[in-house]
Amino acid sequence: MRVWLPPVLLTVLLCALSAGMPTLEPLFEWVQPDKQNVVYERESFLFLLQNHLMLVVISALVGTVAAVAGGIFATRPAGRDFLPLVSQIASIGQTFPPVAVLALAVPVLGFGEAPILVALILYGLLPILRNTLAGLEGVDATVRQAALGMGMSPFQVLLQVELPLAGRVILAGIRTSVTINIATAAIGSTIGARTLGDPVIAGLVNGNTAYVLQGAILIGMLALTVDSLFEAAERVWDRRFLPQTAG
Amino acid sequence: MSIYSSVASNTMPNRVLPVLGCLALALVWLLDLGVIQPNRIVPGTGHGLISAVGGPWAGLVSLVLAGCVLLSFLPLRRRYLPLLGLVGLSLALLPLLLEVFAGRHLPEDAPYARSSIGAGFWCLLFLLSLMLIEILGRLGSGRGLQLMILAVIVGNWLWILRGGGLESLSLVREFNARPDKFEQALWTHLALAFGAVGISAGLAFLLALKMIRSVAWRRPILGAVSFLQTIPSLAVFGLLIAPLSALAAAFPALQAMGIRGIGWAPALLALVAYSLLPMVRNTFVALTEVPESLADAGRGMGMNERQLFFKLKLPLALPVIVEGVRITTIQAIGLTAVAALIGAGGFGSFIFQGLGQAAMDLVLLGALPTIALALLADALLTMLAASL
Amino acid sequence: MIELKNVTRRFGDAVAVDRINLTVETGEVCVLVGSSGCGKSTTLRMINQLLPHSEGQILVDGNDVTAMNPEQLRLNMGYVIQGTGLFPHWTVARNIAMVPQLLKWPRERIDERVHELLTLLDLDQATHANKYPQQLSGGQAQRVGVARALAANPNILLMDEPFGALDAITRENLQLEMLRIQSQLRKTTVFVTHDIDEALRLATRIAVMDQGRIIQHDTPENILRRPASVFVENLVGKQDRGLKLMSLHTVRDLMEAHPQPREPEPGADGLKEDDSLRVALSIMLWQNWRQVPVFNADGQETGTITRERIIQEGA
């Protein structure tokens, strides 16, 4: 249970900070003495946090399902033809800067939450796809051969052998994807998605460093919280499936 | 057995190309190939394939795509070479479609009217590129050929662009409105990205050496640099503003150097911080994973530790270090675009200006060169790593 | 019984297995031997249809394998491969329980069977059952591999160079183990190896393969005495053929048996009934013995053997 302590503490801290930001007003007055408003009030921080998180969670869920399905398809006999291309797309796609992908979504889809969601899904898919391929391809060929030779159906081999063995690598891919998407969603404020990037952008536009700080702190906290959650999940996974390496 | 299967896959019908070809054929007919706008802001009217370029050209495009599909069904050993020619040529000549489109639809008497690229054209470009990648992969071609084909295609595009037939293209108009700014953005972008990569490479090398010499430093250093990598870019840029402004206010000398809460200073600082993780990790791994047996062989031949490092460990580690530089560079090019938000300049400034003014072509003028830079850096550094 | 009739397998244009005919009788160990790339593994994998054959017919107990559901077919065949193919994320016990679980045996029966097999393969339940494959030595892992193949009591055992990656001593131990188990269980076994000594030791009959064809299919003794071609002759080794023949027989075959087993004299040296004639001769030459007592597994003296007799009739 100890592994879950850091994410829980960070979550409590994040929620407390989001809810209690106005109480820190004196501090921000000291940072930004020349402004009337020193605490961002256009939206509540809790709402922005929730919206930000929702974008990331939805994109991670859709991205994971799509990427894992794609990875599975490309490594089955029926989809083998597509494997070289799919792995090329996964690696070339990741050289595209996320901001540029975000920017390209706007001309196609317009402003608001839809384009950012599409951009997050498409971009977030790539690391998961790459890791799914690496994980599935990394399964020892003799293990797969033994499983088939002992009488497992291809579906049972996938479910009971390949996915559990590739799971750790896939999880690492999801972690990378979510880390990137939290950052990209923050920049999404510039195309009209309401996220924790809003206070930062508003602060930059109005020269209000206090706003910038509030947004930046919460974004950083969010990233750390989610990352610690993945850290804990990976530890639990290792303990469950790789006991000999966990000591 | 692998020999058998590769022979088999070269003669068996390949299902990837037909799928891509049919998809391209469907999308190019379904989506708008181009858009005509009366001026910069007003939304334009879209034109489908036939309407945009007329019957003969539409027929030609369909014929080429259908040809690709048919060719890839043939169980021929050498079918990939004609396919390569067909797809390569189509890609190289693709901008001609836009020229034809502009020539047919741009009103003579409207100086502000502009043509822009439609979703159909983008899809065609994207799918043809995928087909090219697939064909090159199946041919098992070397880097030299790939680079040559890329050079021919890009060279052809530039040549078509210089011909003047694409003057009305919105992207070209945006560029022509600010050639100086574009050049300045390019240099700023490059200076920031490569400056960050250079500084972080030096720092990372020192940190990696420290980690190799003392085991106690390994965890804290790796922990610190991966912590930095976890914090989203916007937050890092934001968090640097206050301390840097305070510093600048306290030390006028710094201010005179141009160091302020916004601008290049916080951008560079943040970029360096971000670049440390891949650099440190790769450098450390590269230098520590030189097999002990090799090092022992070196010692056995009488090398001292210093010679061992420079003559054996470093050359062996170099490809992995270059891989770290590649990851870092791509990441830095992307993050530099974000740094435009805190006034650091670069291509990001076009992106965010364009988003602010709802001028999509300006957004493209920022986004496309950023992507091109990242792809170029990727290609060059991959080649460098492979040649080591 | 396994019958291969005119079976061919092609990869693209290349022919890996060329119109082979092979019958493996129930309860015998058929060893396919040959150099790498000769088609022996391909032949084995066509029997459980991991590779479908291009032409011909494969019958298992009279049924055409192509007519059967491949999973059902494989569930009735134990399968052991080089490098074990144990699932790294499952414990030893769960690995062994794999096929019974697929066959939906009740929990208690599976536990009982796992225990039985661990005992059969000389693995200690308490120390090994809950380990993971990576924590085992190579020999232990391969024992688990064999246990897993035997779990659901299949009639047929397919073994694809199972001991190929092990060191010489471990390999020999496992070969002896396998002989012991086979004498108890009498599984119809197809065993692939490139090691002719392993083949001679384990086989009821050996099928020598070269370039996708079976060159000779006969008992170890006949393969040694009457090699069908120069290829087979080179494979079995011309020079030490005599010694190899000796290793096919045991002391029991040539000893002068006492009418009654008797208690040995204290401190008496001698041979065991199960020692091969090759070992017996080697020991007798080294110790300069002309005649020695022979003991059975219980340590009783059951007869004597002379050096002359081994030299005259051993090979």
Side-chain angles (χ1 to χ4, degrees), chain C residues 239-295:
Chain C
Q239 274 97 13
D240 59 351
R241 208 190 293 175
L243 290 175
K244 278 184 174 150
L245 271 167
M246 273 189 188
S247 59
L248 294 179
H249 297 281
T250 58
V251 169
R252 189 185 287 115
D253 300 339
L254 287 185
M255 72 182 189
E256 194 94 30
H258 299 313
Q260 288 284 311
R262 43 176 101 138
E263 287 308 310
E265 291 162 33
D269 247 341
L271 297 165
K272 291 195 206 68
E273 283 181 344
D274 288 329
D275 284 337
S276 74
L277 292 179
R278 180 177 177 160
V279 170
L281 183 64
S282 170
I283 291 174
M284 291 172 93
L285 285 173
W286 178 247
Q287 303 280 7
N288 201 15
W289 288 334
R290 299 198 163 271
Q291 178 172 352
V292 283
V294 179
F295 304 108

Side-chain angles (χ1 to χ4, degrees), chain B residues 62-373:
Chain B
S62 314
L63 207 65
V64 166
L65 290 174
C68 290
V69 174
L70 285 179
L71 256 178
S72 53
F73 268 126
L74 290 181
L76 286 177
R77 233 168 246 271
R78 316 222 113 238
R79 68 187 154 176
Y80 286 112
L81 279 178
L83 269 171
L84 178 63
L86 194 59
V87 172
L89 202 67
S90 315
L91 266 175
L93 298 178
L94 208 55
L96 279 183
L97 282 182
L98 293 176
E99 204 174 316
V100 173
F101 168 63
R104 280 170 58 98
H105 288 279
L106 212 64
E108 296 280 329
D109 50 345
Y112 295 111
R114 44 173 66 197
S115 62
S116 51
I117 303 168
F121 185 88
W122 287 120
C123 288
L124 195 59
L125 177 66
F126 178 64
L127 289 167
L128 279 175
S129 309
L130 289 188
M131 285 162 87
L132 188 70
I133 292 171
E134 168 73 10
I135 294 168
L136 286 173
R138 295 282 167 184
L139 275 172
S141 55
R143 275 198 181 274
L145 178 71
Q146 294 180 7
L147 218 66
M148 213 174 70
I149 288 170
L150 197 68
V152 167
I153 291 172
V154 174
N156 224 8
W157 286 358
L158 291 178
W159 181 68
I160 292 174
L161 209 58
R162 295 195 64 177
L166 292 174
E167 281 296 300
S168 70
L169 199 65
S170 50
L171 202 57
V172 180
R173 292 238 160 138
E174 293 292 343
F175 172 76
N176 285 341
R178 46 177 83 66
D180 301 340
K181 274 192 179 169
F182 186 87
E183 198 174 315
Q184 196 192 347
L186 174 67
W187 292 123
T188 312
H189 208 109
L190 288 178
L192 271 177
F194 284 98
V197 171
I199 294 172
S200 71
L203 265 178
F205 196 72
L206 294 179
L207 286 175
L209 282 188
K210 183 83 199 160
M211 283 164 71
I212 289 169
R213 296 233 176 94
S214 100
V215 180
W217 281 89
R218 283 182 196 177
R219 279 181 66 90
I221 290 180
L222 268 185
V225 294
S226 38
F227 171 81
L228 286 174
Q229 182 84 295
T230 313
I231 310 291
S233 48
L234 194 62
V236 175
F237 290 133
L239 289 173
L240 283 173
I241 293 177
L244 277 178
S245 325
L247 266 181
F251 302 98
L254 288 178
Q255 205 160 11
M257 285 165 63
I259 292 177
R260 284 175 300 134
I262 58 169
W264 65 267
L268 191 64
L269 212 56
L271 288 173
V272 169
Y274 265 103
S275 304
L276 281 177
L277 176 65
M279 285 286 201
V280 170
R281 195 178 44 200
N282 275 44
T283 311
F284 176 69
V285 167
L287 289 176
T288 46
E289 296 212 333
V290 171
E292 253 326 284
S293 59
L294 269 179
D296 278 344
R299 283 187 199 106
M301 290 189 302
M303 288 184 175
N304 62 30
E305 288 303 312
R306 192 188 160 77
Q307 288 168 324
L308 209 59
F309 183 81
F310 283 102
K311 295 205 164 148
L312 190 76
K313 291 191 175 175
L314 199 57
L316 280 174
L318 224 46
V320 184
I321 296 178
V322 171
E323 169 65 13
V325 173
R326 185 187 70 88
I327 298 172
T328 310
T329 310
I330 292 168
Q331 187 183 285
I333 289 171
L335 288 175
T336 304
V338 182
L341 281 174
I342 52 166
F347 288 130
S349 54
F350 294 150
I351 296 180
F352 294 117
Q353 251 178 51
L355 289 173
Q357 305 168 1
M360 289 310 130
D361 299 314
L362 191 53
V363 174
L364 286 185
L365 190 67
L368 294 180
T370 310
I371 293 173
L373 269 186

Side-chain angles (χ1 to χ4, degrees), chain C residues 87-135:
Chain C
F87 302 149
H89 59 308
W90 287 2
T91 60
V92 165
R94 192 161 174 213
N95 264 290
I96 297 176
M98 170 193 168
V99 178
Q101 264 172 2
L102 288 175
L103 292 170
K104 303 212 163 51
W105 285 15
R107 179 80 212 213
E108 306 77 51
R109 193 173 158 210
I110 294 180
D111 289 345
E112 199 180 311
R113 181 65 181 153
V114 169
H115 181 72
E116 215 174 285
L117 284 162
L118 285 170
T119 315
L120 178 72
L121 281 143
D122 209 15
L123 292 160
D124 182 40
Q125 169 103 5
T127 45
H128 292 112
N130 292 316
K131 280 192 176 170
Y132 283 80
Q134 300 88 321
Q135 297 166 301

